[in-house]
Amino acid sequence: MTTLLASPIAMLPALVAEYVDFAATHFDELVVLTIQHALLAADTIAIAVPIAVTLGVATTYDDRAATVILWLAGIAMTIPSLALFGLLIPFLGIGSPPVIFALVLYSQLPVIRNTYVGLTKIDEATLSAGRGLGMTRRQRLRRIQLPIAMPVILAGVRNAVVIVIGVAAVGAYVGADGLGEYIFEGIRTGNTTMIVVATIAVSLLALAVDYTFGVVEQYLRLRNGETIDQALGTRFLTTLLSVRNTHQ
Amino acid sequence: MIEFDSVTKVYPDGTTAIEDISFTVEEGTTTVLVGPSGCGKTTTMRLVNRLEEPTDGAVYFDGENTRSVDEIELRRNIGYVIQEIGLFDHMTVGENIATVPELKGWDEARIDDRIDELLELMALPREFRDQYPTELSGGQRQRVGVARALAADPDVLLMDEPFGALDPITRDDLQDEFLAIQDRINTTIIFVTHSINEALKMGDKIAIFDVGEIVQYDTPHEILANPATEFVEDFIGENRLLKQLSITPVSDVMDPVEAHADQFDDVGGTAAAADGGERLSDPPSPSTDLRSSFITLLEADRSMSPVVEDGEVVGVITESGIRSHFRDGTEGA
């Protein structure tokens, strides 16, 4: 199938043609796998974000707790994914559950860290005004700190999603759905094309989700009154949502 | 309305911010706390809404020790304006103004009406309601800050150097407007500033702070006429007489029209006079301050001028009248 001596550049057009051909013939299956992959990531994020934001809020209350929580979340990220899946199988069986559990763990650090940073970097005068006007600590958190920190928290979530989409591919090894199935099947059958196409699909999915979150993040920053260079998607979104101003 | 009874505040690091301070703020008046930085004026103000707690002594609000009142409830009944404004940039101007009414659980229609009312009071256009604070200028932002503080019709308004970060022209405008607003709302105000001129302009009563203590608590007139200590005299600075002129209204010094009837060719309403000077295009009114009236006289090269209100001559202000007023009021200023 491949000639070892041929220069990779000279082979490129032939390879690309091969990948396109593979993608075209397996299109339906690729779409299904991509959707499964995205759903797995979405499930993970839906579970991970509430936990991480809660922990992030907790870190702002106590410096010592902050150190411990961030340290543990950092440790969690260093555990190799395959080892973690293996350790979880006795408790959670095979398939998606151990994978989601592990991915939830991996997404903690970026979200906790950004929640902490977002909540603590808020302008002192704004908080002082909230306090002076008679907001309780919880009201300040809900009405001032969280909305202002939202873009920063979202940047952490965005970070986590990209990690999750990448690592989720490994989940196929323990039976989780997603594009990882093609990668492992490619490895098993020596089908490089299959591996490459699935990998590109994983990357494209990650890039698309990253961009979308980036646009939402920018939109939230604009709403908070920050001045930024807007991405094309952000300009589109703000135009789309500018009805808000005339509507209320 | 608010009474400080031998209040001492020592911070955890050992600094004594204020020591054994006692004074009373009367209902419906503006009391200005003024002094150099680090004198304890801001701490004193923050004791009122319990952003600080006294180490010793007590603060009474309507006769009740503030420590026996729920601090959140207390703060919602006290308006609070700070120099940094501290608007919530993620909320619209309307939402900012609605903060305290919402915390107090007012119904939506009432809040809605109140926002419009306050925008009008603060001379802000209605369209600002749905705009975000970052779109506004510094002066406009502080107007929103004041509107937000007044939203739930507080009994007391605390203002911590509210106009301190604004440019001089905007500051002057806002001071004038605020004086007019204050006449309408009749709220008890505690106002902190480091500027004696602002204190003289805004205050019914002024408390001058030296490090940690009040050295004089009096009306602006009394402080200018009889500074209690050398510190007060230094703090007032130069041109004491000019400052007195600035805060004295024409009505305090003017003579009745009849006393000068022979000097005017037409007492009935025009501002023309027979003393040889130019005709006055903009004669003073009873509320005009003496400083600008005096300048008006000098510019027109006249020794007297009619005082006009609503197109009627209501009195006469004379150069000699101004002179003798201050000869009686002050010695050697």
Side-chain angles (χ1 to χ4, degrees):
Chain A
M1 195 156 50
T2 48
T3 319
L4 280 171
L5 290 172
S7 109
I9 295 183
M11 282 175 52
L12 203 59
L15 279 178
V16 169
E18 203 180 310
Y19 300 153
V20 171
D21 186 51
F22 179 90
T25 49
H26 296 76
F27 185 74
D28 289 350
E29 212 168 2
L30 271 172
V31 169
V32 171
L33 289 175
T34 307
I35 291 173
Q36 286 175 344
H37 204 104
L39 286 176
L40 188 75
D43 283 346
T44 304
I45 292 302
I47 299 170
V49 170
I51 298 174
V53 171
T54 310
L55 287 172
V57 170
T59 57
T60 62
Y61 280 73
D62 187 308
D63 279 348
R64 239 173 329 155
T67 318
V68 174
I69 290 173
L70 287 169
W71 182 71
L72 287 176
I75 299 268
M77 288 203 86
T78 66
I79 307 172
S81 52
L82 270 176
L84 192 54
F85 296 152
L87 288 171
L88 291 168
I89 288 173
F91 305 100
L92 299 170
I94 57 162
S96 296
V99 175
I100 290 179
F101 189 97
L103 294 179
V104 166
L105 219 53
Y106 288 139
S107 28
Q108 294 303 298
L109 185 64
V111 183
I112 295 175
R113 193 188 47 212
N114 279 40
T115 305
Y116 177 76
V117 171
L119 291 178
T120 47
K121 68 142 203 191
I122 288 169
D123 181 30
E124 199 43 55
T126 309
L127 288 175
S128 173
R131 198 164 156 240
L133 291 172
M135 288 185 184
T136 61
R137 189 165 180 165
R138 267 178 79 163
Q139 285 165 334
R140 292 201 295 277
L141 183 69
R142 200 168 55 79
R143 288 167 177 259
I144 306 176
Q145 288 177 287
L146 281 175
I148 293 179
M150 202 51 86
V152 184
I153 297 174
L154 201 73
V157 174
R158 189 178 157 195
N159 223 313
V161 175
V162 174
I163 297 171
V164 164
I165 290 175
V167 180
V170 187
Y173 191 74
V174 293
D177 298 332
L179 289 159
E181 278 178 40
Y182 260 26
I183 297 176
F184 282 104
E185 199 182 322
I187 293 171
R188 220 168 28 241
T189 60
N191 186 346
T192 315
T193 307
M194 200 172 197
I195 301 173
V196 171
V197 171
T199 306
I200 291 172
V202 171
S203 299
L204 287 179
L205 178 64
L207 287 173
V209 172
D210 184 57
Y211 186 79
T212 311
F213 272 79
V215 166
V216 177
E217 183 193 328
Q218 285 203 337
Y219 176 74
L220 290 176
R221 280 186 194 283
L222 286 173
R223 262 215 62 156
N224 282 1
E226 290 176 47
T227 345
I228 45 167
D229 288 331
Q230 298 178 41
L232 198 67
T234 313
R235 264 177 262 148
F236 179 70
L237 187 68
T238 40
T239 324
L240 202 71
L241 293 174
S242 62
V243 272
R244 174 178 58 94
N245 281 335
T246 50
H247 193 65
Q248 197 167 336
Chain B
M1 178 110 209
I2 294 164
E3 192 189 338
F4 279 74
D5 184 17
S6 321
V7 178
T8 297
K9 172 69 190 180
V10 182
Y11 283 111
D13 68 356
T15 5
T16 305
I18 52 171
E19 202 168 358
D20 197 24
I21 277 186
S22 298
F23 70 106
T24 305
V25 174
E26 301 298 334
E27 188 165 350
T29 63
T30 299
T31 297
V32 181
L33 314 181
V34 65
S37 51
C39 67
K41 55 190 192 293
T42 297
T43 303
T44 304
M45 195 194 80
R46 288 165 63 94
L47 282 160
V48 176
N49 63 353
R50 286 185 58 189
L51 288 172
E52 305 288 354
E53 302 284 3
T55 314
D56 210 358
V59 181
Y60 296 91
F61 183 91
D62 264 342
E64 203 173 352
N65 189 333
T66 52
R67 294 197 94 152
S68 61
V69 187
D70 175 55
E71 57 176 10
I72 298 297
E73 207 49 48
L74 181 76
R75 287 177 198 152
R76 288 178 189 172
N77 291 323
I78 296 178
Y80 187 55
V81 181
I82 53 177
Q83 178 177 352
E84 305 83 2
I85 310 174
L87 290 184
F88 308 135
D89 286 342
H90 61 293
M91 297 182 191
T92 62
V93 167
E95 288 165 349
N96 266 283
I97 296 175
T99 305
V100 184
E102 263 176 21
L103 291 172
K104 288 185 134 189
W106 289 17
D107 63 71
E108 218 168 296
R110 186 170 167 211
I111 294 177
D112 216 51
D113 291 345
R114 186 65 183 152
I115 295 171
D116 284 338
E117 207 179 319
L118 282 159
L119 285 173
E120 204 197 307
L121 182 74
M122 295 311 300
L124 291 163
R126 225 165 222 246
E127 303 85 76
F128 275 17
R129 233 188 122 112
D130 297 324
Q131 284 183 29
Y132 286 87
T134 43
E135 299 166 53
L136 313 185
S137 71
Q140 290 166 338
R141 287 166 63 83
Q142 192 54 293
R143 280 164 210 261
V144 177
V146 175
R148 181 177 65 176
L150 290 173
D153 223 344
D155 305 321
V156 175
L157 183 61
L158 305 180
M159 306 183 88
D160 189 0
E161 307 227 13
F163 311 133
L166 305 173
D167 65 86
I169 295 169
T170 311
R171 185 187 314 149
D172 219 49
D173 287 350
L174 268 175
Q175 285 169 348
D176 291 338
E177 277 177 41
F178 192 72
L179 283 170
I181 288 167
Q182 190 195 330
D183 279 347
R184 285 170 60 184
I185 58 175
N186 201 36
T187 305
T188 308
I189 296 164
I190 298 184
F191 191 110
V192 164
T193 178
H194 63 264
S195 152
I196 185 69
N197 292 327
E198 190 169 52
L200 292 168
K201 182 171 175 180
M202 307 304 288
D204 297 315
K205 277 282 204 76
I206 298 175
I208 298 186
F209 280 71
D210 195 354
V211 187
E213 55 167 352
I214 294 177
V215 287
Q216 189 168 7
Y217 181 49
D218 233 321
T219 62
H221 283 278
E222 201 48 41
I223 283 173
L224 285 174
N226 302 305
T229 65
E230 208 170 311
F231 173 82
V232 175
E233 217 173 309
D234 285 347
F235 194 71
I236 296 168
E238 288 172 9
N239 303 323
R240 232 168 79 201
L241 189 54
L242 206 57
K243 283 171 184 163
Q244 272 180 289
L245 285 173
S246 304
I247 62 163
T248 310
V250 164
S251 53
D252 279 15
V253 182
M254 70 184 184
D255 298 331
V257 191
E258 299 74 38
H260 300 274
D262 55 322
Q263 308 250 11
F264 290 88
D265 54 6
D266 180 11
V267 178
T270 74
D275 68 343
E278 284 174 42
R279 197 188 156 86
L280 289 172
S281 56
D282 188 17
S285 77
S287 60
T288 311
D289 67 86
L290 284 185
R291 181 166 170 253
S292 46
S293 318
F294 201 63
I295 291 170
T296 309
L297 289 179
L298 286 177
E299 278 175 352
D301 190 21
R302 303 169 49 131
S303 61
M304 63 176 64
S305 155
V307 179
V308 178
E309 190 173 34
D310 299 329
E312 295 270 326
V313 175
V314 292
V316 175
I317 179 115
T318 65
E319 198 185 311
S320 57
I322 297 174
R323 275 180 212 279
S324 64
H325 181 79
F326 284 98
R327 205 163 32 239
D328 301 341
T330 50
E331 308 134 44

